């Protein structure tokens, strides 16, 4: 009789999943990271949402949700990172290993994943970082855009304080003594702050934790585009110094 691990290995050998992604997106990167860490065969399809809809891959053009990440596994189509991660854990891996061995821990991990994909990403990315660099996320009026950024910085600080004083006060990781998907997703969102040359010194536990999470397997692979963009930003800053 085959074990669940053997069954999952057989599934992996028989097919690949397709991941439609934008590599600068934290929600896409966390799914890609999961696929690499769990040795799930996959094909990456890069997407440029700035192109006309007719030029997009058919998987997106035919989707009612024009967004990434999208995972296609045979006839199954899953969108939104938390749903994709849950599907992959249920289908290809040991759920208890990936999402915690106890019900309370599983609830905490999945809750933090949802929070990272919604509130944290909205605040850090779409309301603070992106309006400073990407025209499609900036408000037309410069004064209003600056107000949005300043207000969002206060929210970012509040989120960091929550991580510092609640989640990381007694344990090295958000959900206990070992790194989990929750840590990797939250960290993948927070590194967007590096675009702004953000200083984490007011939150030393968060700073230490973030450096620790950056050493997980395949982090550098998944964040190569991010690091290249940081290098580009640094060169531009030096030009204006």
């Amino acid at each position: 009789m085959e074990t669940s691990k053997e069954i999952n290995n057989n599934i992996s050998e028989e097919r690949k999943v397709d991941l439609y992604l934008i590599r600068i997106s934290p929600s896409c990167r966390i799914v890609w990271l999961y696929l690499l860490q769990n040795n799930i065969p996959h094909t990456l399809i890069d997407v440029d949402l700035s192109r006309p809809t007719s030029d997009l891959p058919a998987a997106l053009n035919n989707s009612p949700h024009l967004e990434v990440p999208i995972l296609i596994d045979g006839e199954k189509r899953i969108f939104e990172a938390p749903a994709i991660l849950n599907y992959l854990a249920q289908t290809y891996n040991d759920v208890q290993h990936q999402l915690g061995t106890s019900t309370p821990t599983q609830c905490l991990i999945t809750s933090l994943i949802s929070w990272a994909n919604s509130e944290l990403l909205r605040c850090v990315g779409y309301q603070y970082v992106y309006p400073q660099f990407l025209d499609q996320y900036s408000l037309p009026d410069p004064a209003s855009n600056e107000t949005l950024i300043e207000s969002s910085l206060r929210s970012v600080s509040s989120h960091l304080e929550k991580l510092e004083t609640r989640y990381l006060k007694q344990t090295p990781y958000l959900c206990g003594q070992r790194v989990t998907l929750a840590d990797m997703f939250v960290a993948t969102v927070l590194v967007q702050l590096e675009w702004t040359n953000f200083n984490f010194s007011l939150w030393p536990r968060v700073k230490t934790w973030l450096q620790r999470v950056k050493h997980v397997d395949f982090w550098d692979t998944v964040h190569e585009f991010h690091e290249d963009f940081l290098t580009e930003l640094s060169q531009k800053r030096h030009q204006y110094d």
Side-chain angles (χ1 to χ4, degrees), residues 18-32 44-50 56-57 59-61 63-72 77-82 84 117 121 126 130 137 185:
D18 292 332
L19 176 63
Y20 293 80
L21 80 166
I22 296 174
R23 301 188 189 213
I24 205 68
S25 161
S27 296
C28 293
R29 291 203 301 266
I30 189 62
V31 175
W32 183 17
L44 300 179
I45 298 96
D46 291 287
V47 175
D48 182 358
L49 292 178
S50 67
L56 295 176
L60 268 71
N61 201 7
S63 173
H65 301 277
L66 194 60
E67 56 195 20
V68 289
I70 288 180
L71 185 91
I72 295 182
R77 181 195 305 263
I78 309 99
F79 61 94
E80 292 289 345
I84 295 173
N117 191 62
L121 180 55
Y126 295 100
Y130 301 157
Y137 298 109
F185 204 156

Side-chain angles (χ1 to χ4, degrees), residues 23 27 41 54 92 101 111 116 138 141 161 173 175 178 180 187 189 235 238:
R23 301 188 189 213
S27 296
S54 58
Y92 289 91
T101 57
S111 294
S138 301
D141 176 54
E161 191 67 21
Y173 297 103
C175 302
R178 69 179 184 90
T180 70
V189 173
Q235 291 172 347
H238 287 314

Side-chain angles (χ1 to χ4, degrees), residues 9 20 41-42 50 56 69 71 153 156 163 173 184 215 238:
N9 285 340
Y20 293 80
H42 58 278
S50 67
L56 295 176
L71 185 91
L153 177 57
V156 169
L163 295 172
Y173 297 103
M184 289 181 275
H215 285 88
H238 287 314

Side-chain angles (χ1 to χ4, degrees), residues 45-160:
I45 298 96
D46 291 287
V47 175
D48 182 358
L49 292 178
S50 67
R51 298 182 64 83
T53 303
S54 58
D55 292 341
L56 295 176
L60 268 71
N61 201 7
N62 296 329
S63 173
H65 301 277
L66 194 60
E67 56 195 20
V68 289
I70 288 180
L71 185 91
I72 295 182
D73 187 3
E75 297 183 353
K76 304 181 184 73
R77 181 195 305 263
I78 309 99
F79 61 94
E80 292 289 345
I84 295 173
L85 294 171
N86 184 66
Y87 169 79
L88 292 173
Q90 296 280 351
T91 306
Y92 289 91
N93 301 104
D94 181 350
V95 175
Q96 288 190 341
H97 174 70
Q98 297 299 328
L99 299 177
T101 57
S102 68
T103 299
T105 301
Q106 289 180 8
C107 290
L108 179 57
I109 291 173
T110 54
S111 294
L112 283 171
I113 286 172
S114 293
W115 175 69
N117 191 62
S118 55
E119 174 61 22
L120 187 64
L121 180 55
R122 180 169 56 251
C123 176
V124 170
Y126 295 100
Q127 297 177 346
Y128 179 63
V129 176
Y130 301 157
Q132 300 184 55
F133 298 92
L134 305 175
D135 291 340
Q136 61 266 42
Y137 298 109
S138 301
L139 297 179
D141 176 54
S144 298
N145 197 57
E146 187 64 28
T147 299
L148 171 65
I149 293 168
E150 291 177 358
S151 174
S152 299
L153 177 57
R154 291 191 290 270
S155 297
V156 169
S157 299
S158 177
H159 290 316
L160 292 173

